[in-house]
Amino acid sequence: SSLLLHDISDPLAPASYAYAALPASAIRIAVDWPHAYITMTEGVDWSMATYDIRSGGAPVFESMIMLPFEPAGIAVDNGVAVIGSRAGLEIAVLDVSNPAVPRLAELVDIGGPGLDVEIAAGKAFVVGSGVTVLDVRSPDLPRFVSRLDTLGPATSADLSDTMLYVADETGLVMFDVWTFLACTPADQTSPFGQLSGQDVGAFAQSFVDQCGHADIDGDGLFGLGDVVQFVEWFTTGCPD
């Protein structure tokens, strides 16, 4: 098994430019630049390896940590890795703030497998028996936030801005997860967790388009009250 890096700056002519042999068979990969995190299997041993991929040359091995179950989905963001189990009931939350010394911080029982994982703004969306939403800003204290129901067992997901697209056995399910990502109602667009002029512009456009994110007071209408509340939330800023 190996790790191959490809230059796709020209999508019509992708080119391989770096290679590294892996110590076991790869299962999944997640990238949080400039590090790649790869779950692997060798017999009944499961692990996660970390590689530095910034050099433009061969990926540089940094670390390996053993995992307590057969891994499935993996996602990494802002120093936290979340790994789902293929057949078990738990997910693993790892502190990877130092990629050279990853640490298993907590195992969380979610009542089913974690076949795919997406992370943004400190929230993990774990796909399996529906979608389990967790607050993983502190890897040592992950917190259950919510569960989103799907029509059948879910297998994979992709998060794009505020939309979570989930494939289950019946088809495609779409969730607007803005309320989970935003630090306040004024936090209208990514990157979430910080307020800027982009949020002002996004609110103004949503207000003109009569979009739900601009209905700050939740009355189903778009009026002066929404503008006043947006300004109040924006002035207050994101909580620490």
Side-chain angles (χ1 to χ4, degrees):
S1 191
S2 60
L3 171 61
L4 292 172
L5 303 185
H6 299 269
D7 182 349
I8 56 172
S9 55
D10 181 355
L12 298 179
S16 301
Y17 70 89
Y19 162 92
L22 298 177
S25 298
I27 300 175
R28 295 279 186 90
I29 184 171
V31 174
D32 189 27
W33 184 261
H35 306 282
Y37 301 84
I38 305 168
T39 55
M40 302 183 297
T41 180
E42 186 173 17
V44 293
D45 293 326
W46 305 291
S47 59
M48 182 191 77
T50 307
Y51 285 81
D52 188 324
I53 57 175
R54 85 184 83 196
S55 67
V60 177
F61 175 81
E62 291 184 294
S63 63
M64 181 182 293
I65 184 172
M66 302 307 294
L67 300 173
F69 51 65
E70 181 182 4
I74 178 174
V76 184
D77 184 61
N78 199 31
V80 178
V82 177
I83 301 175
S85 169
R86 182 168 301 281
L89 302 177
E90 295 180 319
I91 63 166
V93 182
L94 291 84
D95 181 346
V96 293
S97 54
N98 181 355
V101 190
R103 178 176 62 87
L104 178 59
E106 193 65 61
L107 294 174
V108 182
D109 187 341
I110 63 168
L115 301 181
D116 203 358
V117 183
E118 294 286 326
I119 299 182
K123 304 301 190 301
F125 301 87
V126 185
V127 170
S129 300
V131 181
T132 301
V133 186
L134 300 167
D135 186 331
V136 293
R137 287 174 293 177
S138 173
D140 292 296
L141 295 169
R143 182 174 61 85
F144 175 83
V145 175
S146 183
R147 190 179 301 276
L148 308 175
D149 293 329
T150 53
L151 298 177
T155 56
S156 62
D158 187 72
L159 181 63
S160 178
D161 197 23
T162 66
M163 295 301 299
L164 181 68
Y165 301 90
V166 180
D168 69 10
E169 292 185 352
T170 68
L172 175 66
V173 185
M174 296 178 288
F175 299 98
D176 186 340
V177 296
W178 171 67
T179 55
F180 298 119
L181 303 177
C183 65
T184 77
D187 193 7
Q188 293 272 315
T189 189
S190 62
F192 294 100
Q194 59 190 51
L195 303 181
S196 69
Q198 287 182 285
D199 296 296
V200 177
F203 171 78
Q205 188 62 57
S206 296
F207 190 85
V208 171
D209 294 341
Q210 305 285 280
C211 169
H213 293 175
D215 182 18
I216 302 294
D217 59 17
D219 64 357
L221 303 173
F222 300 89
L224 181 59
D226 297 302
V227 177
V228 170
Q229 289 201 25
F230 174 83
V231 172
E232 291 176 348
W233 282 111
F234 189 87
T235 303
T236 301
C238 286
D240 295 332

